[in-house]
Amino acid sequence: MFRVSVALGLTRPLVVRTTLVGDPGDLLARLPEAAPYAWIRRGEGLVAWGEAARVAVPPGPGRFDWARRWLSAILGEAHTDDEAGVPGSGPVAFGSFTFDPDAHGSVLVVPRVVLARRDGRAWLTTVGDEHLDLVTPPADPGRIRYGDGSLTAPEWEHAVALAVRQIRSGRLEKAVLARDLTAVAERPIDVRLLLSRLASRYPECYTFSCAGLVGATPELLVRRTGETIESLVLAGTVSRGTSQADDDARGAGLFASDKDRYEHTCAVESVREALAPLCAELTVPTEPELLVLPNVQHLASPVTGRLADGASVLDVVAAMHPTAAVGGTPTRTALDVIRELEGMDRAGYAGPVGWIDARGDGEWGIALRCAQIEGPRARLFAGCGIMGDSDPASELAEAQAKLRVMQYALEG
C-alpha cells in the first residue's frame, strides 16, 4: 500500500479546504499564467493551478491500478474540510494518460487551488495555505509556422492505403490512424488564450488542459456521479457543408453511410463490452444521433449505466481504454497496425484526460482535437477511423478538418 510519505516524501497528509463562493464569472479568466489545469463545458467545470502533489505514472499494463492506489493514498488520507460536498469538491486530481500503455508520459497532479462551478453552485478548494496568484492578460503567441509531423501528407495517405489493404485481407475490421503537425510560434504559447478560444468556439466540447496537453474533445469517455455513469461514443465523421442545404445533405449522407454506421457500431460495441461487467444496469441506444460541431458532424451514441460494485471513475477508464473509436477492432490487432503504420508516439493524444475526486467521482474524456504545448512549440494531432472502403484522400481531408480546431486556437 502507498503511504503519503513514501509517495511524495511528505511527513504529513495534505490539508484541504473547500468553501462555497459567489459566482466567479468566466472561470478561465481567473487562471494565472503558470501551468493551468482546466475541464470546462458550457461555462461550467473546474479550473486549477499550482501543484500540491504530482507523480509520473509508470508505464505498463498495470498503470491504472498503480494510479488508483496512489490516488487512494494522497486523496484518501487528506485532512479535508468540505462545505460543498459535491462531485469535484474536496481534494481533486487532474490526469493525462498516454494512448499507448507502454509509453512514458502519464501524469497525475493534485493542484494547490481549484475553482469550480456546477449546477448553479460555485466553490473554491485550497491545499495548505491559501495562495493568491497574479492574473495577467493572456499573451498572443504571434505568427505561427507549421511543418510536417512524423509523416508528410503523401506518406500518411500511403499509410492509410496500407491499412485498407490489411483490413480487406481480413486481418482486422478497423484501424484508427493519427496524424501530427508541428507548429512554432514567435513567442511562448499562453495556454489560457487557447482555452478561451476553444471554450468560446466549441461550447459543446470539453475544453481541457493538463500538463501541457490542451484541447477541446467532443468525446466523453466516462462521467461518474455516485453509482451513475455516462459515456458519449463518437465514430463516423463528415465535414460541415458550405451552405445549410449542403450541411443537411452531408449529415443525411453520414447517417446513411454503411461505412460510417459500421464504424460507429464497432465503437459502441467496444464500449458495451467494457462497461457490461462493471454495471448492474446499462442502456445503449439502438440508433445513433447526429452531433453537429462548428467544423464537423459525428455519429453519436449516449450510453448510461449504474455501477454494480462502486468502482471509481478511474476503474471505469481502465476498463474502457482504448475504445474502438480511437484504436480499432479487434483492439490488439489494431494497436499492432497503429504501431506499424503511424510512425510516431501518440503521447497523450487519444488517451484518457480528466479529473477525479476523493469519492471516486469524476469526468474523463478522450484527448482528441488537442495539442501538446511546450514554450513556443506545439504538436497538433488528429485521427481517422479507417475501414475497408476508406479513401486515403478523403481521410486526409477529414484529418485536416480536425486539425483546424487547434490551428484556430493558435491563430484566433
Side-chain angles (χ1 to χ4, degrees):
M1 177 180 176
F2 279 92
R3 299 298 298 178
V4 173
S5 58
V6 173
L8 291 174
L10 301 179
T11 58
R12 58 184 181 180
L14 301 176
V15 177
V16 183
R17 185 181 183 197
T18 297
T19 57
L20 293 171
V21 296
D23 189 342
D26 182 357
L27 290 170
L28 293 172
R30 305 295 294 270
L31 283 170
E33 183 177 359
Y37 297 85
W39 181 266
I40 298 291
R41 182 173 184 259
R42 295 177 178 170
E44 294 200 336
L46 296 76
V47 298
W49 57 94
E51 294 182 0
R54 180 186 180 115
V55 70
V57 179
R63 60 182 179 155
F64 289 108
D65 183 60
W66 191 98
R68 179 184 54 77
R69 290 184 288 119
W70 185 86
L71 286 166
S72 177
I74 301 303
L75 304 187
E77 295 182 13
H79 294 165
T80 303
D81 178 10
D82 184 358
E83 286 185 4
V86 297
S89 67
V92 168
F94 282 75
S96 168
F97 287 83
T98 57
F99 173 81
D100 191 326
D102 294 328
H104 291 270
S106 301
V107 63
L108 289 167
V109 177
V110 179
R112 289 187 295 112
V113 183
V114 179
L115 182 62
R117 179 177 54 230
R118 181 175 178 177
D119 299 331
R121 305 179 76 191
W123 60 93
L124 176 70
T125 298
T126 57
V127 178
D129 296 332
E130 186 167 346
H131 301 271
L132 298 177
D133 295 81
L134 179 62
V135 177
T136 57
D140 189 279
R143 184 172 177 269
I144 308 294
R145 293 183 291 108
Y146 295 100
D148 286 323
S150 303
L151 299 177
T152 65
E155 287 172 339
W156 193 79
E157 286 183 294
H158 181 62
V160 171
L162 292 176
V164 168
R165 188 181 305 170
Q166 296 201 38
I167 292 167
R168 290 178 178 174
S169 74
R171 184 184 179 192
L172 72 166
E173 295 179 82
K174 171 189 174 183
V176 179
L177 292 185
R179 182 167 185 244
D180 63 341
L181 190 70
T182 63
V184 180
E186 290 182 291
R187 294 179 288 276
I189 299 168
D190 192 326
V191 167
R192 298 173 300 165
L193 186 62
L194 308 188
L195 292 172
S196 177
R197 288 171 174 171
L198 291 170
S200 176
R201 189 173 179 87
Y202 302 96
E204 294 299 317
C205 293
Y206 297 86
T207 298
F208 63 87
S209 173
C210 181
L213 187 66
V214 181
T217 180
E219 190 148 0
L220 177 68
L221 184 61
V222 62
R223 174 188 296 117
R224 178 192 186 268
T225 308
E227 294 182 343
T228 301
I229 59 170
E230 304 165 67
S231 180
L232 181 64
V233 184
L234 301 182
T237 306
V238 68
S239 59
R240 295 294 302 273
T242 56
S243 66
Q244 187 61 55
D246 183 29
D247 204 42
D248 292 342
R250 290 181 183 225
L254 176 64
F255 206 81
S257 165
D258 290 339
K259 177 257 186 190
D260 289 290
R261 289 294 291 266
Y262 184 65
E263 179 185 348
H264 189 80
T265 297
C266 290
V268 170
E269 288 306 308
S270 76
V271 170
R272 187 200 302 271
E273 291 173 7
L275 291 180
L278 299 175
C279 291
E281 299 174 6
L282 187 63
T283 302
V284 181
T286 56
E287 289 281 316
E289 56 193 48
L290 206 58
L291 176 64
V292 180
L293 300 173
N295 61 322
V296 294
Q297 302 183 60
H298 293 293
L299 294 178
S301 290
V303 176
T304 59
R306 183 171 62 84
L307 291 172
D309 60 357
S312 80
V313 70
L314 203 58
D315 294 319
V316 183
V317 168
M320 295 181 71
H321 178 74
T323 69
V326 293
T329 307
T331 300
R332 182 167 296 180
T333 304
L335 295 181
D336 288 341
V337 170
I338 288 169
R339 294 186 182 107
E340 292 167 12
L341 299 181
E342 274 188 359
M344 69 175 187
D345 176 6
R346 288 188 177 187
Y349 170 73
V353 61
W355 61 270
I356 179 174
D357 66 17
R359 305 169 190 82
D361 289 331
E363 294 178 297
W364 289 75
I366 300 175
L368 306 175
R369 318 295 195 270
C370 63
Q372 187 71 42
I373 309 298
E374 185 174 353
R377 299 181 177 274
R379 186 179 175 213
L380 287 60
F381 300 91
C384 300
I386 311 304
M387 306 292 288
D389 56 353
S390 290
D391 171 63
S394 297
E395 299 298 341
L396 178 64
E398 180 181 321
Q400 290 171 331
K402 292 174 177 177
L403 286 167
R404 281 197 288 271
V405 173
M406 289 309 300
Q407 289 177 304
Y408 162 78
L410 288 167
E411 299 169 11

